[in-house]
Each structure stands twice: as structure tokens, then as C-alpha cells.
Amino acid sequence: MNKLIRWSITAALAGFLFGFDTVVISGADKQLQELWNTTDAFHGSVVMAMALWGTVVGAIFGGIPTNKFGRKNTLFIIGILYLVSALGSALANGPFTFAAFRFIGGLGVGASTIAAPTYISEIAPSKSRGRLVSLYQFNIVLGILMAFLSNYLLREAGNQPWRWMLGVEAIPAFLYMLFVVAIPKSPRWLISKSKKAEASKILKTIGSDLDVEQLWTEVNSTSQNKFTGESIFIKKYSFPLMLAFFIAFFNQMSGINAFLYYAPRIFEIAGLEQSASLLSSIGVGAINLIFTLIGVFLIDKAGRKQLMLAGSFGYIVSLLLVASAFFFNWGGLWVPIFLFMFIASHAVGQGAVIWVFISEIFPNHLRASGQAFGSSVHWVLAAIVPSVVPVLFTSIGAGYVFLFFAFMMFLQLLFVLFLMPETKGKSLEALGGELSLKTKLKSNRI
């Protein structure tokens, strides 16, 4: 196997743990609420969503270790967080202890959305960057599928199956830590730390189309203000900042995390019995994996914008059908079928694009900070939406919830049509300058 691909897959395995950790809780959802006899509001906002609040913190502050200690070292720390969270959650004896260990796992998820895409984008050549960074998303959905499958297989394990469901994550977390030890540091990060010789050695090992002198010039030309306290929040970077905000905002306004967290519950509301609900959840994971593979294949061919357009149309149609199924009480397998359409639309569009796009649009010296901003927006909303879903399902009904998500995806379609640029095939240095220049040109017109 090509070393570049092997290192990209290893970094992307942080996504496998992300997907597994995020979704494994769905199998324990109702067991935990019955065990600790908690209200819908407490269960949604503390027991279920605490990992997501950890993710918010990890996303906000994950850029600090990613910049200071490097992408590789941060990925190793992330593995430790997943391991501690898995073991602690499985052994927890109350909702607050459980929530605390889930919070620790969330820190790993949030930081991984910064460190892994940043690392892969910085070792990948321009022509295949989209495909290689998309391996992160592929591993997320593979982790989701494995979590749904694991939950189904462990549904009758012991007196409290949820402990096995959550504890099994410790195995891939430990293996991931071992794999990360073998990958090199990012050559762009090394150059930003003035370690040219080490960066040169890694570039030669990769077989990169860049030589170290060229990269040294390009990185430093786009990083000339890095010692002046320049940040992503100055006017110069308002356009890439806006792009990162909206792609992250609409990702969660599709309702994807709410659905992944509560898939068995949604299927039960639609009339499926518990075992059929868990089995349908495996179908969700399989559809997600298949269409993510399609997105990974197309992202460097069709481009980021075309995938987002296709995904937006698919979102709107599928969410309107799901809402109709709840409004008009369509029984049987209609809700699972429509939600499979929704998952396919997400996997080809937002799922394949978001982490690639955010990792591309900021200049070298601000990439980790920009990734942290986009991830933070994503995870703040990912924490809020699942927290309120159980209450909304009870108070206004699932139909109105999915109708709202459909409206938000119409707004996403407008964003993609009129604001989102195409980034395929361009170097990171060229994109950083181009999008900053676009901000200046807009300011001059005003």
C-alpha cells in the first residue's frame, strides 16, 4: 500500500472512533432512561447530549494542541480520550458519572474534526486531496455502521447490555493509538515551526510533487503575518469565515445528528417494534457507507459544489416525504425508506464535503484555527438539536420537526447556488490567497 494512503487512512481512523462514539449511545438510549428514571429533558440534555457538549469544547480548543504540539501528537491524545471514555462510560454507576465520561469522549470527537482533516490535507497532493480527506468521513460512517451493528449484536448481552455496547469501543481506541505512533508529522506544520530538514525528509518519503524549497516559499508567503497575532476574525478573512459558518450550520440543520442519535426511537414512533428498529438502524449505517463511497469517488471529479447541489435536492425531497409519512400516518416501511433516502443525500453531499471544504479554505497559518471555528459551529448545533428532539417529538410531533429541517435545506440550496465556490484541484496556498482576495474585492465594491 502506498505510504501516503496508509498514513491518510491511519489519521482518518479518528473518524471511525468519532462515528462509533457518536452513535453507539443510540442503542443505550431507552435502557438508560428507564434505568435512571430520568425526564425527557434531563435525558436529552445531560445523558444523551453531554458527549456533544464535550465535542463543542474539543472543537473550540482543539486548534491549540493541533498548532502547538502538532497534528500527529494531537491525534494520539485523541486516542487516549476515546479509550478513557469507553471504559469509564461502561463502568458508570449513575447519570452524572456516565455524562462525565461521555464528555471526555466528546473532547476526542471535537479535536479529531480539526486534527485529522488538517493533517490529511497537509500531506495530500492537490489532485487527490478531496478523496484522501474524505477518508475521514468514510471512516465516520464506517464507525456509525459498526456501532449500529454492535448494538444489535450486543442487545441481549448480560443484565445491562448498554455497558457492553459502550465498553467495546475501548478495543478500536487502543489499536488506533498504536497505529498513530507510526505516521510522520505534517511537513507543512514542520515548516511552520522552521524544521525544514525534517519536512524535506517526509516530502521525499511521500513522493510529493512539491520540493521543500517550493513549499517553504509558499507556506511562508501565506504566513508572513503569523507573528503579528493575525486571526481568522479580521476583515481579511470574512469570506472564508462565512463559508465555514454556513456549511457547518446547514450540516446540522438537516437534522442528521438528531436522526443518528434517535434512529431506533424514530422507527418505533413510526410503528416498528424494537428489534426491527435496531435492524433498520443497521440499514441506515449501510446506506450511509455506500453513498459515502460514491461521494468519495466523485469529490475530485465532480467537485465539492456539485455534490452539495445534489445533496440539497435529495434532502428537500426526502425530508418532505418523511414529514408527510408522519402527518398522514403512512405505516409499514415508508418512514425507514424515506430516511434511507435522506441518509443517501447526506452522505453524497454534506457528509462527503464538509470536512474537506473547511480544511481547504483558510491559509496555512490559520488552517487549524479555521477548522476549529467550523467544527465549533457544527458541534454547538449538534449538541443543541439532539438535546431538544425528545421534547419536540412529544410536544409538536415528528412531522413538524422534519418539515422544519426540509425548509432549512431549501436555504442551504440557496447558499450553495449563490455563495459557495468550487475548490477542487487547487493548492492550499492558492485557495488561501484567492478567498482572502475575494473578501478584499467585495469590500472595495462596497
Side-chain angles (χ1 to χ4, degrees):
M1 185 188 295
N2 181 291
K3 287 182 179 179
L4 178 63
I5 296 175
R6 187 169 71 245
W7 295 338
S8 298
I9 291 173
T10 298
L13 285 173
F16 178 90
L17 292 165
F18 163 174
F20 195 99
D21 189 85
T22 300
V23 170
V24 72
I25 189 72
S26 67
D29 171 22
K30 299 192 81 172
Q31 294 180 55
L32 293 173
Q33 188 168 13
E34 291 170 5
L35 175 66
W36 292 319
N37 194 28
T38 53
T39 64
D40 283 347
F42 181 89
H43 179 69
S45 60
V46 177
V47 176
M48 294 294 286
M50 190 54 67
L52 289 172
W53 289 115
T55 301
V56 171
V57 176
I60 291 172
F61 297 105
I64 297 174
T66 302
N67 275 331
K68 186 172 182 179
F69 304 121
R71 289 56 164 139
K72 173 182 175 176
N73 292 336
T74 303
L75 289 171
F76 185 80
I77 294 168
I78 287 166
I80 295 173
L81 293 173
Y82 281 129
L83 180 63
V84 171
S85 175
L87 295 175
S89 299
L91 298 172
N93 55 9
F96 292 104
T97 306
F98 179 84
F101 280 108
R102 289 288 295 163
F103 182 87
I104 291 170
L107 293 175
V109 172
S112 80
T113 60
I114 300 164
T118 298
Y119 177 85
I120 301 169
S121 72
E122 291 182 345
I123 66 170
S126 302
K127 63 181 180 181
S128 57
R129 186 177 60 242
R131 187 173 72 253
L132 290 175
V133 178
S134 290
L135 288 173
Y136 179 70
Q137 178 64 24
F138 171 78
N139 272 279
I140 292 173
V141 300
L142 181 61
I144 290 170
L145 175 58
M146 289 299 103
F148 281 137
L149 180 60
S150 174
N151 284 348
Y152 180 75
L153 295 175
L154 295 172
R155 67 191 185 281
E156 296 177 354
N159 294 326
Q160 296 181 315
W162 65 269
R163 294 190 186 275
W164 293 96
M165 291 177 179
L166 291 155
V168 74
E169 185 186 350
I171 298 171
F174 179 71
L175 293 174
Y176 169 71
M177 290 165 60
L178 297 180
F179 294 153
V180 168
V181 173
I183 67 174
K185 295 176 181 176
S186 160
R188 281 181 166 91
W189 178 79
L190 288 168
I191 285 177
S192 74
K193 300 298 181 182
S194 301
K195 297 181 179 180
K196 187 192 289 189
E198 192 175 348
S200 177
K201 184 178 178 181
I202 293 169
L203 286 170
K204 289 177 182 176
T205 305
I206 292 173
S208 173
D209 53 358
L210 290 173
D211 62 52
V212 72
E213 295 299 333
Q214 179 186 357
L215 191 59
W216 177 271
T217 301
E218 290 183 351
V219 169
N220 283 289
S221 67
T222 58
S223 305
Q224 58 185 325
N225 296 316
K226 65 183 177 180
F227 299 115
T228 64
E230 189 175 70
S231 80
I232 58 172
F233 298 106
I234 63 175
K235 188 175 183 180
K236 179 180 178 181
Y237 301 115
S238 60
F239 187 63
L241 195 72
M242 178 196 68
L243 294 174
F245 174 84
F246 278 117
I247 196 166
F249 174 83
F250 286 123
N251 183 284
Q252 286 305 302
M253 286 298 104
S254 69
I256 182 64
N257 256 39
F259 173 64
L260 291 177
Y261 261 58
Y262 296 104
R265 183 180 293 221
I266 292 169
F267 289 140
E268 285 187 40
I269 293 172
L272 274 68
E273 62 181 31
Q274 186 177 9
S275 60
S277 296
L278 287 170
L279 205 54
S280 296
S281 299
I282 296 174
V284 167
I287 293 292
N288 204 356
L289 185 68
I290 292 167
F291 281 87
T292 295
L293 279 172
I294 294 172
V296 169
F297 176 75
L298 292 175
I299 193 165
D300 284 320
K301 298 179 183 293
R304 290 61 160 149
K305 186 165 184 169
Q306 294 303 314
L307 293 186
M308 285 290 289
L309 284 172
S312 297
F313 282 114
Y315 271 143
I316 293 166
V317 172
S318 59
L319 286 167
L320 286 175
L321 286 171
V322 172
S324 299
F326 280 108
F327 283 133
F328 301 112
N329 296 316
W330 297 342
L333 294 174
W334 285 115
V335 169
I337 289 170
F338 297 151
L339 282 170
F340 289 168
M341 291 171 58
F342 165 77
I343 288 293
S345 302
H346 175 81
V348 162
Q350 272 276 8
V353 172
I354 179 172
W355 305 118
V356 175
F357 188 72
I358 296 175
S359 74
E360 294 176 323
I361 58 179
F362 291 96
N364 285 303
H365 64 297
L366 295 174
R367 183 164 300 114
S369 299
Q371 193 83 24
F373 171 78
S375 296
S376 299
V377 173
H378 174 279
W379 288 114
V380 166
L381 292 170
I384 293 172
V385 175
S387 296
V388 301
V389 159
V391 177
L392 291 175
F393 278 172
T394 302
S395 58
I396 66 173
Y400 287 105
V401 173
F402 286 106
L403 187 62
F404 170 77
F405 290 143
F407 172 71
M408 296 307 295
M409 290 304 92
F410 172 73
L411 297 183
Q412 175 181 272
L413 178 61
L414 298 181
F415 161 71
V416 176
L417 284 171
F418 299 111
L419 288 175
M420 184 179 175
E422 182 54 73
T423 59
K424 72 168 182 174
K426 299 177 181 178
S427 74
L428 295 177
E429 290 70 33
L431 281 169
E434 181 182 314
L435 296 178
S436 300
L437 179 63
K438 187 166 286 192
T439 300
K440 291 181 182 177
L441 291 174
K442 289 188 175 184
S443 299
N444 290 338
R445 289 195 200 106
I446 295 171

